[in-house]
Amino acid sequence: MENFNRLNDLYFKKLLGDKNRKNLTLSFLNAILNKDEREYFTDITFLDKDNEPLTLDGKLSKLDIRADLNDGTQVDIEVQVCPFKFMAERSLYYWSKMYSEQLEKSAEYKKLKKAIAINLLAFDYLEDEQDWHNIYNLLNVKSHNKLTDHIEIHFLELPKFTLKDMRKIRTSEAWLAYFSGRYTKKELEEIAMTTPAIKEAVEFENTFLQDKIERRAYEQREKAIRDYYSYMSAYKEEGLEQGLKQGLKQGLQQGKLEEKFRTATNLLKMGFDIETISKAVELSREKIQELSEKK
């Protein structure tokens, strides 16, 4: 299927959140967490998790896979397709819940296990980072010594990912190439030749798309996400227009001319166009142009 979205929540959960394909989940986790053959996670237990309301954002643009690994490590895989500027805060919040919930089994702090949050993002989030994979721990700000290895938060940003050498591909790169959707069927076949987990993922994808019920559910989710983007765009445009034409207009009706000039200057600095500002503050376009030349 052309333009198949492998980050679709329904598909992703079936691919990596199903006990029948836990070998794929383990492949993904071991690759992203850079585990060698001596440290490989060998088993995983999926935990049902639904601690968010079924909102448009929560249900359609985010999903998470919660699991225990064989050494007791807790892991949470989050997928976010819609840009969200508080991703760090949300990830830390869910990490803290995952970590603290361990005490329901035992009140002894010494029995707390490491908790890892992995955020797979379909958008650029970390503006000051160039790499597609960034890992955060709790460190001393001076010595950079790690306080504890119990906290680990990963951000995987798909737009930043580029496959440099198909012949020397790592498993983590193979997974990112697969989820990115930027590689052709032929290129994925080449990747699958060196990465058995990707071959199995592609085979499952083909089976998934041949199932009329699953495909219909997938298409409905995709439509809902497109509608979400459309609604949000419309609301932003309407809110901006109404805010400028009504909110600012009403607030300025009782103000003095100097206040109008000051507001118009601020709007110019924010990047609004002369026509919009003119209507919002009830000044002529010529006057706004003069202010623009002075700022």
Side-chain angles (χ1 to χ4, degrees):
M1 179 180 181
E2 189 175 356
N3 298 323
F4 179 64
N5 177 19
R6 300 182 179 102
L7 295 185
N8 174 282
D9 61 339
L10 177 68
Y11 176 74
F12 190 93
K13 188 89 177 209
K14 288 184 176 294
L15 179 70
L16 292 189
D18 190 317
K19 64 181 180 180
N20 294 319
R21 281 174 294 281
K22 65 182 181 180
N23 63 305
L24 296 183
T25 316
L26 287 168
S27 169
F28 176 80
L29 289 173
N30 282 318
I32 296 302
L33 301 177
N34 198 30
K35 297 294 182 181
D36 60 27
E37 58 185 12
R38 296 169 299 173
E39 301 178 301
Y40 275 160
F41 291 121
T42 57
D43 199 7
I44 186 170
T45 302
F46 295 105
L47 305 175
D48 291 331
K49 181 171 179 285
D50 186 20
N51 54 14
E52 280 196 300
L54 296 181
T55 61
L56 187 61
D57 175 59
K59 187 176 182 181
L60 297 176
S61 61
K62 186 196 84 63
L63 92 133
D64 59 345
I65 295 174
R66 272 287 307 277
D68 287 337
L69 294 165
N70 56 283
D71 67 347
T73 296
Q74 305 280 297
V75 65
D76 184 53
I77 306 174
E78 304 275 351
V79 173
Q80 182 71 26
V81 298
C82 296
F84 186 66
K85 69 177 181 178
F86 297 110
M87 198 67 213
E89 290 80 0
R90 186 167 78 179
S91 184
L92 186 60
Y93 172 74
Y94 284 116
W95 175 91
S96 67
K97 287 178 65 67
M98 176 171 55
Y99 191 65
S100 63
E101 284 171 1
Q102 296 180 58
L103 288 183
E104 293 179 0
K105 301 176 183 178
S106 173
E108 298 181 31
Y109 293 116
K110 67 179 181 180
K111 292 188 177 181
L112 285 168
K113 299 293 185 179
K114 184 174 184 175
I116 302 173
I118 299 175
N119 301 286
L120 182 56
L121 309 180
F123 56 94
D124 284 328
Y125 175 67
L126 301 170
E127 295 180 357
D128 296 328
E129 303 292 350
Q130 300 299 316
D131 292 338
W132 61 268
H133 186 185
N134 292 282
I135 308 169
Y136 293 87
N137 299 118
L138 197 58
L139 306 176
N140 184 305
V141 296
K142 292 183 178 179
S143 67
H144 292 177
N145 290 329
K146 190 183 296 185
L147 178 65
T148 175
D149 67 352
H150 275 207
I151 179 171
E152 190 170 297
I153 300 179
H154 296 245
F155 289 92
L156 314 177
E157 298 172 273
L158 284 172
K160 293 179 180 177
F161 174 76
T162 301
L163 190 56
K164 296 179 180 179
D165 190 342
M166 189 81 73
R167 297 167 299 178
K168 299 179 180 178
I169 188 171
R170 296 177 297 165
T171 304
S172 59
E173 294 174 322
W175 276 113
L176 264 288
Y178 176 74
F179 285 123
S180 73
R182 296 201 302 267
Y183 296 89
T184 65
K185 182 178 180 180
K186 183 178 180 180
E187 288 171 328
L188 278 180
E189 289 175 352
E190 291 183 38
I191 293 172
M193 289 177 63
T194 59
T195 313
I198 301 302
K199 180 180 180 181
E200 186 174 340
V202 171
E203 291 172 350
F204 172 73
E205 177 183 320
N206 293 332
T207 301
F208 176 88
L209 290 174
Q210 290 171 10
D211 187 312
K212 292 182 179 179
I213 296 177
E214 297 283 32
R215 181 161 178 161
R216 174 61 177 164
Y218 161 85
E219 290 171 347
Q220 289 178 328
R221 298 296 179 93
E222 288 298 287
K223 180 180 182 301
I225 292 175
R226 288 194 299 271
D227 289 346
Y228 172 79
Y229 276 118
S230 178
Y231 293 151
M232 290 301 293
S233 178
Y235 290 153
K236 286 179 181 179
E237 290 179 4
E238 182 179 353
L240 174 60
E241 182 178 356
Q242 293 302 318
L244 290 174
K245 288 185 177 180
Q246 297 180 14
L248 289 176
K249 180 178 179 180
Q250 293 171 2
L252 290 167
Q253 282 177 345
Q254 299 175 352
K256 298 179 181 180
L257 186 60
E258 292 78 14
E259 292 174 329
K260 292 187 177 185
F261 288 163
R262 184 165 56 251
T263 301
T265 300
N266 289 335
L267 292 174
L268 282 167
K269 291 178 179 179
M270 293 169 64
F272 292 110
D273 61 88
I274 290 176
E275 181 67 24
T276 301
I277 298 172
S278 175
K279 292 179 180 179
V281 301
E282 296 184 328
L283 290 173
S284 67
R285 286 179 292 179
E286 291 75 13
K287 184 60 67 176
I288 303 299
Q289 182 63 44
E290 291 178 14
L291 293 173
S292 176
E293 293 171 355
K294 291 179 181 179
K295 74 178 181 71

